[in-house]
Amino acid sequence: MPQSPEPIRIAVVGVGKIARDQHLPALASNDDFRLIAAASRHGTVEGVPNFGTIEALLADIGEIDAVSLCMPPKFRFDAARAALEAGKHVFMEKPPGATVSEVEELKRIAERQGVTLFASWHSRYAPAVEAARAFLQASTLTSAQIIWKEDVRRWHPDQDWIWQPGGFGVFDPGINALSIMTHIFPAMFITDASLDFPANRDAPVAAKVLFRTSSGAPVVMDLDWLQTGPQSWDIHAETDRGTMLLSGGGAKLAIDGVVVHDEPETEYPMLYKRFSDLVRSHTSDVDLAPLQHVADAFMLGKRNVVDEFR
Ligand code: NAP
């Protein structure tokens, strides 16, 4: 019988909301990984050695194979570079960085070091995304509308970084929509954008972004962070084969009103399966298309000043 490979010895860095909600449970249920340490300025993980910085972790524990970087994007580059330079495989939460160029640089370092760099996009692993992709690949898209409206107070309580430059504002959830759109739609580019900045913040609370696909189909994306009550994470597409609705952030697919795919989500277990496959096959996966669209929206977008956010 073939022997299963040794588990990948991994450390989690930036122990906050997403590390606790998703990364630690996903790692605990995956035999392909062994969590052997954590690094965070304040957060800790029970049962493993904890360090205040990634530099201290890398200096102390030589036998680590990989790190999972769960801090906000603006603070990820230095940590990723330190890990790559130390010869470790790197898993990065979304968005992979605060700028496109810094992630390009990480790609070059990973290649030079011969280690895996994984820029993860968790929404791409939502259960109905592949079925939507298959439907659209066999269809001609004529138009699309993306409605991504959620309550920032519910999902990002007390997170200051998200309102700062490089924090992305409403594009922090919006990039999840973009990660699905860039996976299932034909190539597209932004033609117009309008971004609403609260008078007391440096990141937008709402945005409207217009795209055109390479064949000319219009795509409209509406982002809003002040939606209370039911939350909307929907992608509507009109095609020559009918109307597609991918709802629930990619969980459920309906064609002409008939549900054809609806399963519970397992996004983070699938992300770690992907990371393990990448490490074992000595490859990287760094798709910057969603981040490039956010950069383009900031570059092309008209800036409106709206009510303060308290
Ligand atoms: P968070 O809890 O505010 O931040 C995670 C941890 O990063 C913090 O607890 C903090 O740990 C560390 N950190 C914060 N500022 C730092 C700095 N200046 N330098 C170094 N470390 C810093 O945020 P989060 O919600 O987990 O989000 C982190 C990433 O996950 C973001 O990129 C976000 O888009 C992504 N994500 C979040 C969610 C969600 O539901 N919140 C869902 C999917 C993906 P220490 O203070 O202990 O260092």
Side-chain angles (χ1 to χ4, degrees):
M1 226 172 67
Q3 281 204 321
S4 40
E6 287 293 309
I8 298 163
R9 296 163 299 184
I10 193 165
V12 168
V13 184
V15 180
K17 184 169 189 316
I18 198 62
R20 292 196 183 94
D21 287 357
Q22 296 287 353
H23 290 259
L24 295 172
L27 284 167
S29 63
N30 187 333
D31 289 342
D32 227 4
F33 289 92
R34 186 148 57 84
L35 181 71
I36 63 166
S40 212
R41 296 164 314 165
H42 309 95
T44 54
V45 177
E46 247 179 67
V48 296
N50 286 274
F51 298 85
T53 64
I54 187 168
E55 289 76 15
L57 164 95
L58 293 169
D60 198 275
I61 303 200
E63 69 270 22
I64 287 177
D65 302 309
V67 295
S68 192
L69 303 182
C70 304
M71 70 284 281
K74 184 125 179 255
F75 316 111
R76 201 167 289 128
F77 176 81
D78 286 340
R81 183 179 51 190
L84 294 170
E85 297 284 8
K88 312 303 177 191
H89 307 293
V90 172
F91 177 131
M92 298 195 288
E93 246 303 346
K94 51 64 55 170
T99 66
V100 174
S101 332
E102 73 189 51
V103 189
E104 292 284 8
E105 175 63 4
L106 293 176
K107 262 168 82 171
R108 279 189 287 273
I109 300 172
E111 212 171 293
R112 191 182 72 222
Q113 293 291 95
V115 293
T116 293
L117 180 62
F118 180 32
S120 72
W121 298 110
H122 66 86
S123 292
R124 281 190 182 167
Y125 294 81
V129 167
E130 288 308 317
R133 185 172 198 232
F135 173 78
L136 289 176
Q137 275 181 344
S139 315
T140 302
L141 182 75
T142 51
S143 68
Q145 188 186 18
I146 292 80
I147 312 278
W148 222 258
K149 297 187 174 184
E150 61 175 53
D151 182 359
V152 62
R153 294 184 176 87
R154 177 165 156 197
W155 302 104
H156 300 282
D158 306 321
Q159 290 185 346
D160 278 339
W161 62 264
I162 215 157
W163 290 108
Q164 290 165 3
F168 287 70
V170 75
F171 284 94
D172 179 85
I175 205 167
N176 296 335
L178 285 165
S179 72
I180 299 177
M181 292 156 68
T182 49
H183 188 61
I184 68 176
F185 285 168
M188 57 182 193
F189 55 91
I190 295 178
T191 56
D192 201 3
S194 144
L195 279 54
D196 293 350
F197 285 73
N200 60 341
R201 303 285 175 161
D202 290 316
V205 66
K208 184 153 187 161
V209 186
L210 309 184
F211 301 81
R212 206 163 67 206
T213 67
S214 48
S215 60
V219 175
V220 181
M221 181 169 81
D222 242 314
L223 307 177
D224 187 354
W225 235 359
L226 297 178
Q227 174 148 306
T228 51
Q231 308 283 282
S232 315
W233 295 296
D234 299 334
I235 296 179
H236 302 255
E238 294 297 333
T239 79
D240 61 336
R241 291 172 62 229
T243 299
M244 184 201 93
L245 171 58
L246 181 62
S247 58
K252 187 165 157 182
L253 180 67
I255 308 294
D256 289 331
V258 178
V259 174
V260 295
H261 205 103
D262 187 7
E263 282 173 25
E265 70 96 356
T266 57
E267 291 175 14
Y268 280 77
M270 288 176 74
L271 284 180
Y272 276 99
K273 158 107 186 48
R274 172 79 176 143
F275 185 46
S276 154
D277 290 346
L278 290 169
V279 169
R280 307 269 187 222
S281 61
H282 309 285
T283 45
S284 286
D285 177 356
V286 185
D287 177 10
L288 289 176
L291 186 64
Q292 183 66 64
H293 285 308
V294 173
D296 291 355
F298 275 87
M299 186 154 52
L300 197 64
K302 178 180 182 320
R303 179 188 170 114
N304 308 310
V305 178
V306 298
D307 289 349
E308 292 192 352
F309 178 84
R310 297 275 168 210

